């Protein structure tokens, strides 16, 4: 009997999915476990897709994506970051952020190579490393006070002769942590010194609450890196434009990696859907007003959740809720919690509130739960109320 390849057997299941599958078999669940809002894609983007279909964007496109979309992405970097990119050689449109991550990792790692991954993190990065027959070495973000940081000593200690890449996510899913300018510089210096690819997941860069003005993006690592640096940025339309189901993203990379990712795209997906690419072009050109409204709402939601959990602090004995500066997640740490999956399962069964267990996010994630606060208030408010009551009923969490 032929068996499945060991490399795919080794790819772990997503524990967010595992919890979600239990939740989906139940009625009336307040769903805060996935990383998306329940807002539909804005009308102006949907209309752009319909126009594109009518205009004949139903055929194959270039493997790197429509030149018009790549030019729009380059223009976006010029406007938001004052970074000049060559749309023909440094930008590749992909069929989602996760595909950008996957193809970038595939281009950078040989079987047996090692990648350093800052965690807790969305599990798809480490899983993509496993799918490339390589090994993810997870290095947890330490929590000092109520801010996460980077343990550079631990990073140094984790480097081996096989290390080829360092992956970090800023703003972070699930932490909401945003790398400071100094942390970015140190990551870049570290990668240069050890001859590593630096892979920056910046899909949440527009969801930032600590800029000079709401709507300012988190400064991209591309502002610090030269175009000859071994730096790759992955990005997506999913989060900023409520386009999770459309499957369009992009990567920016040194020319050699961008060229190889373009070629590999042919064999993986060929390209992102043609009409969805056109809709993405419109999102970049016309999306600022809608984005500003969404950011106002997300910031209010974040504060609502912080207030609700701040109130539970005493009763839940040792609930630490780091204040997130970006993305749309809270990642409260519950002192004494040793089985976040069991916690989320019981919370779900007893209160119909669905959260993602911290254990799903790799090293450093156990002991916390992830709350996605992108939902409407009509969902968030009762969910927070039930969560707080549940924590009060189970002081110290009690899930050992
Ligand atoms: C950190 C991070 N990167 C990338 C993605 C990929 O998004 P998509 O594949 O929908 O573009 C996600 C989605 O949850 C994410 O959280």
């Amino acid at each position: 009997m032929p068996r499945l390849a060991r490399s795919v057997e080794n790819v772990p299941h997503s524990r967010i999915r595992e919890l979600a599958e239990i939740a989906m078999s139940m009625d009336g669940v307040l769903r805060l476990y996935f990383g998306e809002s329940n807002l539909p894609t804005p009308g102006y983007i949907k209309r752009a897709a319909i126009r594109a279909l009518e205009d004949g964007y139903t055929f194959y496109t270039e493997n790197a994506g429509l030149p018009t979309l790549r030019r729009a992405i380059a223009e976006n970097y010029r406007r938001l970051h004052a970074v000049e990119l060559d749309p023909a050689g440094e930008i590749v449109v992909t069929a989602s952020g996760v595909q950008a991550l996957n193809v970038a990792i595939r281009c950078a790692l040989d079987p047996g190579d090692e990648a350093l991954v800052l965690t807790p993190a969305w599990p798809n990065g480490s899983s993509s490393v496993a799918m490339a027959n390589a090994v993810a070495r997870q290095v947890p973000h330490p929590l000092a006070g109520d801010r996460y940081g980077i343990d550079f000593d631990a990073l140094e200690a984790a480097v081996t002769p096989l290390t080829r890449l360092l992956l970090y996510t800023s703003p972070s899913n699930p932490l909401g942590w945003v790398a400071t300018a100094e942390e970015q510089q140190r990551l870049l210096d570290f990668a240069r010194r050890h001859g590593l690819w630096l892979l920056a997941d910046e899909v949440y860069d527009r969801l930032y609450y600590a800029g000079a003005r709401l709507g300012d993006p988190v400064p991209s690592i591309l502002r610090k890196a030269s175009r000859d640096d071994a730096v790759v940025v992955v990005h997506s339309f999913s989060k900023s434009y409520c386009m999770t189901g459309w499957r369009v993203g992009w990567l920016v990379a040194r020319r050699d990696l961008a060229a190889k990712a373009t070629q590999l795209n042919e064999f993986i997906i060929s390209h992102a859907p043609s009409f969805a690419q056109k809709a993405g072009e419109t999102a970049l050109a016309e999306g600022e007003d809608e984005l500003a409204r969404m950011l106002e709402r997300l910031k209010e939601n974040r504060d609502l959740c912080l207030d609700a959990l701040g109130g539970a602090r005493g009763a839940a004995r040792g609930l630490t809720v780091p204040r997130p500066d970006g993305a749309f997640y809270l990642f409260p740490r519950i002192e004494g919690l040793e089985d976040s999956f069991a916690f989320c399962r019981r919370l779900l069964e007893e209160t119909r509130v669905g959260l993602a267990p911290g254990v799903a996010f790799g090293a450093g994630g156990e002991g916390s739960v992830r709350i996605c606060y992108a939902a409407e208030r009509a969902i968030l408010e009762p969910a927070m109320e039930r969560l707080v009551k549940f924590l009060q009923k189970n002081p110290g969490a009690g899930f050992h």
Side-chain angles (χ1 to χ4, degrees):
M1 268 286 272
R3 53 163 182 76
L4 294 180
R6 250 186 297 280
S7 55
V8 297
E9 293 277 25
N10 287 343
V11 178
H13 286 278
S14 162
R15 303 220 65 199
I16 311 172
R17 218 3 110 175
E18 196 179 330
L19 198 286
E21 272 165 17
I22 303 171
M24 284 171 183
S25 70
M26 298 164 71
D27 288 328
V29 173
L30 303 178
R31 294 164 36 142
L32 307 181
Y33 41 75
F34 281 148
E36 62 182 352
S37 83
N38 54 351
L39 287 181
T41 306
Y44 77 96
I45 299 176
K46 290 195 269 200
R47 285 191 292 278
I50 293 166
R51 259 198 323 275
L53 284 167
E54 285 169 349
D55 289 348
Y57 284 92
T58 56
F59 297 100
Y60 289 133
T61 74
E62 290 79 351
N63 292 135
L66 290 166
T68 46
L69 176 55
R70 280 180 277 150
R71 283 201 291 276
I73 293 169
E75 172 51 32
N76 211 48
Y77 278 99
R78 186 178 305 122
R79 183 172 61 84
L80 294 173
H81 299 284
V83 164
E84 288 297 325
L85 296 172
D86 172 11
E90 294 171 325
I91 297 171
V92 183
V93 175
T94 56
S96 75
V98 66
Q99 200 240 317
L101 199 60
N102 193 280
V103 75
I105 286 170
R106 191 69 191 74
C107 287
L109 296 180
D110 274 323
D113 283 350
E114 294 179 7
L116 303 176
V117 181
L118 292 188
T119 57
W122 189 53
N124 296 34
S126 291
S127 293
S128 287
V129 170
M131 285 168 71
N133 278 305
V135 179
R137 301 258 173 246
Q138 301 187 340
V139 179
H141 286 282
L143 182 60
D146 65 356
R147 186 182 186 277
Y148 283 94
I150 300 174
D151 186 343
F152 281 96
D153 292 338
L155 273 180
E156 289 286 351
V159 174
T160 77
L162 296 174
T163 312
R164 297 277 174 275
L165 178 145
L166 166 59
L167 166 62
Y168 77 99
T169 310
S170 168
S172 154
N173 169 9
L175 305 178
W177 165 84
V178 175
T180 61
E182 190 205 334
E183 285 168 334
Q184 279 185 327
Q185 190 60 52
R186 287 185 71 182
L187 286 169
L188 188 57
D189 292 344
F190 177 87
R192 284 174 177 160
R193 185 152 31 83
H194 290 288
L196 309 180
W197 285 96
L198 185 61
L199 178 49
D201 183 333
E202 296 186 351
V203 309
Y204 293 99
D205 75 341
R206 299 304 311 273
L207 308 186
Y208 184 41
Y209 316 106
R213 218 177 39 93
L214 201 58
D216 286 351
V218 172
S220 171
I221 190 73
L222 295 170
R223 294 191 193 186
K224 296 194 180 300
S226 81
R227 298 291 79 85
D228 292 330
D229 271 314
V231 167
V232 186
V233 167
V234 301
H235 217 301
S236 168
F237 286 91
S238 286
K239 312 292 174 176
S240 318
Y241 303 105
C242 301
M243 289 175 70
T244 48
W246 295 65
R247 315 314 296 139
V248 199
W250 70 85
L251 62 81
V252 176
R254 203 175 70 187
R255 285 171 186 281
D256 53 347
L257 191 141
K260 190 46 84 174
T262 300
Q263 183 205 338
L264 292 198
N265 252 1
E266 168 62 22
F267 310 122
I268 303 169
I269 186 82
S270 296
H271 57 80
S274 316
F275 54 94
Q277 292 188 54
K278 281 311 271 184
E281 240 174 89
T282 299
L284 292 179
E286 297 174 23
E288 290 302 308
D289 290 349
E290 192 75 42
L291 186 61
R293 279 192 288 278
M294 184 168 87
L295 282 170
E296 292 283 354
R297 202 179 56 86
L298 287 175
K299 191 163 181 252
E300 278 171 25
N301 286 358
R302 178 196 68 168
D303 294 342
L304 177 147
C305 294
L306 282 171
D307 284 350
L309 295 180
R313 192 182 283 263
R317 283 217 311 268
L319 190 66
T320 309
V321 195
R323 189 185 176 78
D325 284 335
F328 44 42
Y329 307 103
L330 290 188
F331 200 62
R333 182 179 280 183
I334 304 169
E335 198 181 297
L337 180 62
E338 288 176 10
D339 187 346
S340 54
F341 193 89
F343 176 92
C344 287
R345 188 175 190 144
R346 232 183 85 194
L347 178 75
L348 177 67
E349 286 165 354
E350 291 183 18
T351 72
R352 294 292 192 266
V353 174
L355 304 183
V359 67
F361 302 93
E366 186 54 287
S368 299
V369 292
R370 188 190 72 177
I371 301 166
C372 175
Y373 59 77
E376 289 169 83
R377 286 177 92 91
I379 295 173
L380 269 188
E381 279 174 7
M384 285 304 107
E385 217 168 278
R386 291 181 209 176
L387 171 62
V388 166
K389 276 210 193 103
F390 184 81
L391 286 165
Q392 285 167 341
K393 255 188 27 206
N394 299 281
F399 290 87
H400 304 292

